[in-house]
Amino acid sequence: MTSRAPERGQRHDVSRTSKRTSAGTQADLQQEPESLDACRRCTLWRDATHAVPGAGSSHATLMLVGEQPGDSEDRVGLPFVGPAGVLLDTVLEEAGVARKTVYVTNAVKHFKWELRGKRRLHKTPGQREVEACAYWLDRELAQVKPKVVVALGATALRAVLHDPSARLNAHMEHPARIGELVVVATWHPSYVLRASSSEAREAARAQMVDALRHAHSLAASR
Ligand code: URA
């Protein structure tokens, strides 16, 4: 008996699929899809409206990497256009970085979510999904060839460094290097939006501004 594939954007009942985790199988990781829309390296595409590729200057010296698209990005198909993107835009402006000069992408290109009532709530991608999507991130790095990458949050940092144990706090103090590439780590904009007090929010926001300013000047001087 054959089962019909669920329509894109419909919830898929993974519990009925044997020997397949929600992140996909080992064989899926061997696939080398030609396009992001055709990507089946993990199973997140099933519940997503759009795959969300990176956007921005293809010759940018500065690349920003987030975690994964959110609800708005999933609907529109562009990175950082929702509330986290609005915060990111204000931080970039304060740091003196024009968004059109940078390349913005995510570690994972499909929105991972769970339904709560009528809302699609963000779920943090698992290591297998990050690993599956490193295929696309590595391609973007090879094509754009930035001098500096800003990792926005721990998932982005681990994806860029290919190190699942990398600690955000440690790298916020000490940028990493991969050959010539410098990796500056800072908070994810959603962390700033969710901060428990206005003081904590302001402090995290100021750290983001400093990190972006620093990354921008490093990219200009290299
Ligand atoms: N959060 C991210 O990490 N990336 C987006 O594109 C939007 C929200």
Side-chain angles (χ1 to χ4, degrees), residues 66-70 73 79-80 84 106 188:
E67 183 192 79
Q68 63 166 351
E73 291 77 14
F80 283 106
N106 283 299
H188 188 281

Side-chain angles (χ1 to χ4, degrees), residues 157 161 163 166-176 183-185:
L157 179 70
L161 298 183
D163 177 2
R167 316 283 314 165
L168 186 63
N169 278 313
H171 285 285
M172 279 170 64
E173 309 257 319
H174 304 288
V183 182
V184 171

